[in-house]
């Protein structure tokens, strides 16, 4: 378990060094919507900070502030430009309103109050693909990401006892520890020998480590992503990255 602690310390350091990595450190609050220590009168939805839609369109065009940014950088820059840690984006071209936040307190509040059958916006294109275009392949099981309401609740209830139960988690500690050791060795191999800083694409290495760990639990095998030994696994990793990049382009950013 010492390897796990060492890995945590390395990730805390490298995430600060690379600006495109999403920071989840608690920052001083820039608003008074909700706090954990003091009860406040909730404000109306319309009082949330927002941005002019015309200005937003300009920013997403070539040469604009958010052109070609990934989702994490785009979100962080939007919040910084608005001088707020929460921001309302009004729907454009038929899209629904969207709220941006990187405050972990907000995530907890939403998850704790949405009930057992949540209706979560997002991944509408994937949902259409699985429920309409390729319903012959997916049937009634479309996964936790795109499931909604009762279907999501039923699947989560079936998965939770297997994935989260402490006795089951212990079964994978040895395997996950070996993956962590591989990742630490990979960090030592790719970091700058003088400054010890990670390369600019280090977030891809973190994604590979994450998927490798998930694959061990879900598939009971290593995908060969960290040591680059499995061409099929690397192909899967590349396609998954493209999926998230295209999802951000088609479902989050304005259709321009």
């Amino acid at each position: 378990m010492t390897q796990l602690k060492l890995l945590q310390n390395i990730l805390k350091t490298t995430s600060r060094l690379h600006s495109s990595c999403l920071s989840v450190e608690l920052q001083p609050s820039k608003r008074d919507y909700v706090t954990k220590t003091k009860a406040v009168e909730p404000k109306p939805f319309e009082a949330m900070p927002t941005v002019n839609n015309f200005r937003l369109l300009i920013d997403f065009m070539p040469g604009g502030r958010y052109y070609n940014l990934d989702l994490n950088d785009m979100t962080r820059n939007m919040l910084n430009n608005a001088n707020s840690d929460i921001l309302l984006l009004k729907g454009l071209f038929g899209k629904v309103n969207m709220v941006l936040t990187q405050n972990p307190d907000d995530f907890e509040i939403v998850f704790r109050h949405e009930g057992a059958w949540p209706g979560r916006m997002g991944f509408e294109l994937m949902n259409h693909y699985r429920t309409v275009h390729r319903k012959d392949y997916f049937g009634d099981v479309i996964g936790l990401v795109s499931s909604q309401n009762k279907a999501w609740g039923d699947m989560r209830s079936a998965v939770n006892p297997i994935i989260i139960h402490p006795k089951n988690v212990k079964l994978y500690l040895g395997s996950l520890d070996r993956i962590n050791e591989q990742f630490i060795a990979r960090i030592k191999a790719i970091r700058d020998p003088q400054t010890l800083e990670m390369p600019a694409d280090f977030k891809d290495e973190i994604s590979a480590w994450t998927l490798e760990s998930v694959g061990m639990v879900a598939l009971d095998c290593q995908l060969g992503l960290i040591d680059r030994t499995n061409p099929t696994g690397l192909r899967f990793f590349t396609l998954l990255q493209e999926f998230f990049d295209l999802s951000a382009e088609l479902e989050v950013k304005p259709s321009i």
Side-chain angles (χ1 to χ4, degrees):
M1 299 304 292
T2 56
Q3 295 288 352
L4 288 173
K5 293 181 180 179
L6 177 59
L7 181 62
Q8 291 172 350
N9 291 333
I10 292 175
L11 289 179
K12 287 179 181 178
T13 302
T14 54
S15 63
R16 296 189 183 97
L17 292 175
H18 193 267
S19 60
S20 65
C21 293
L22 175 61
S23 173
V24 295
E25 295 178 8
L26 289 175
Q27 303 293 335
S29 178
K30 299 178 181 178
R31 58 189 162 94
D32 58 355
Y33 279 86
V34 178
T35 65
K36 286 186 174 183
T37 58
K38 179 182 179 181
V40 296
E41 185 70 21
K43 293 184 177 182
F45 185 74
E46 294 75 14
M48 190 176 298
T50 187
V51 61
N52 180 271
N53 280 352
F54 180 74
R55 174 71 256 182
L56 191 63
L57 286 175
I58 298 298
D59 287 337
F60 276 106
M61 290 182 177
R65 292 185 293 182
Y66 310 133
Y67 181 68
N68 273 350
L69 291 184
D70 67 23
L71 189 58
N72 288 339
D73 290 340
M74 181 197 76
T75 301
R76 182 171 54 249
N77 288 357
M78 280 186 173
L79 293 172
N80 289 338
N81 292 333
N83 193 31
S84 174
D85 61 356
I86 192 168
L87 184 67
L88 169 64
L89 298 183
K90 297 180 180 179
L92 292 170
F93 309 118
K95 291 188 176 182
V96 298
N97 294 340
M98 182 184 304
V99 175
L100 299 182
T101 178
Q102 289 186 331
N103 187 338
D105 292 344
D106 294 335
F107 307 154
E108 179 183 356
I109 291 171
V110 170
F111 291 151
R112 288 188 180 277
H113 291 81
E114 62 183 357
W117 297 351
R120 297 172 176 171
M121 304 302 297
F123 294 108
E124 280 85 2
L125 293 178
M126 183 176 70
N127 185 64
H128 178 82
Y129 179 83
R130 293 186 175 185
T131 59
V132 178
H133 187 66
R134 288 304 310 273
K135 184 175 177 62
D136 59 312
Y137 179 81
F138 290 96
D140 296 327
V141 182
I142 60 176
L144 284 173
V145 174
S146 55
S147 295
Q148 302 286 349
N149 304 314
K150 188 176 185 300
W152 184 93
D154 291 345
M155 179 170 288
R156 185 63 185 265
S157 297
V159 171
N160 267 10
I162 301 174
I163 300 297
I164 299 180
H165 196 284
K167 291 184 179 179
N168 294 327
V169 172
K170 290 180 180 179
L171 296 175
Y172 298 99
L173 286 180
S175 300
L176 293 177
D177 196 36
R178 286 192 294 273
I179 292 175
N180 292 337
E181 290 178 356
Q182 285 185 339
F183 187 51
I184 292 172
R186 176 70 177 170
I187 288 175
K188 293 178 179 179
I190 64 176
R191 67 186 179 184
D192 187 288
Q194 303 299 324
T195 65
L196 301 183
E197 292 189 4
M198 297 298 110
D201 61 350
F202 182 61
K203 63 179 180 179
D204 293 337
E205 301 285 344
I206 296 178
S207 297
W209 164 65
T210 302
L211 185 58
E212 189 78 80
S213 301
V214 172
M216 175 56 66
V217 176
L219 305 175
D220 197 27
C221 68
Q222 283 196 234
L223 301 176
L225 304 179
I226 298 176
D227 55 10
R228 307 296 198 271
T229 58
N230 183 3
T232 301
L234 292 173
R235 172 66 174 164
F236 172 65
F237 177 67
T238 300
L239 293 176
L240 189 61
Q241 286 184 306
E242 291 181 1
F243 164 76
F244 284 114
D245 290 340
L246 292 174
S247 294
E249 290 289 336
L250 298 174
E251 303 204 49
V252 178
K253 298 180 180 180
S255 300
I256 54 178

